[in-house]
Amino acid sequence: LWMRPRSGIYALGDVDGNGVDDIVVGTIRYYGIDPPYTIEAVNGANNSLWRYPLEAINNEGRFGIITLNLDDDASLEVVVANGPLLLALDPPDYRFVLLSPHLWPQ
């Protein structure tokens, strides 16, 4: 149906609370002036809901994204494992909070 200039690992879930699943992608961009690493949510019409820049994405099998409801509201939160960090993104302000800095051995 459509394509995007970024790709990466993804999760599905209703992150904007409208009752329809969205796509959340941990992306790497190899060209351009945008931040090269981001977490981005896209709806089914290919509209970006939000984008959060990251300093790096750990590509050694220690990066993952899931969506789940942590606070019993209408929208799902996004939980990201990025190397030794576990981060959670909670709408509506779309701000990451550090859950645990030492989940895995360095």
Side-chain angles (χ1 to χ4, degrees), residues 52-100:
Y52 186 87
L54 294 175
E55 290 183 17
I57 287 181
N58 185 313
N59 330 348
E60 298 172 2
R62 292 174 50 182
F63 182 83
I65 299 174
I66 60 170
T67 59
L68 66 160
N69 199 330
L70 295 173
D71 57 8
D72 201 30
D73 62 4
S75 60
L76 298 176
E77 285 69 52
V78 177
V79 176
V80 178
N82 189 14
L85 302 177
L86 183 63
L87 308 165
L89 175 62
D90 186 20
D93 61 358
Y94 301 110
R95 195 170 46 121
F96 273 102
V97 293
L98 182 64
L99 294 179
S100 176

Side-chain angles (χ1 to χ4, degrees), residues 5-91:
R6 294 175 178 257
S7 64
I9 193 166
Y10 68 93
L12 303 175
D14 181 12
V15 297
D16 60 2
N18 69 353
V20 179
D21 281 345
D22 305 298
I23 304 166
V24 180
V25 184
T27 64
I28 299 173
R29 186 178 187 117
Y30 295 103
Y31 58 90
I33 60 173
D34 290 339
Y37 307 103
T38 61
I39 303 298
E40 181 175 8
V42 179
N43 66 18
N46 195 22
N47 297 315
S48 181
L49 300 173
W50 48 262
R51 184 181 295 163
Y52 186 87
L54 294 175
E55 290 183 17
I57 287 181
N58 185 313
N59 330 348
E60 298 172 2
R62 292 174 50 182
F63 182 83
I65 299 174
I66 60 170
T67 59
L68 66 160
N69 199 330
L70 295 173
D71 57 8
D72 201 30
D73 62 4
S75 60
L76 298 176
E77 285 69 52
V78 177
V79 176
V80 178
N82 189 14
L85 302 177
L86 183 63
L87 308 165
L89 175 62
D90 186 20

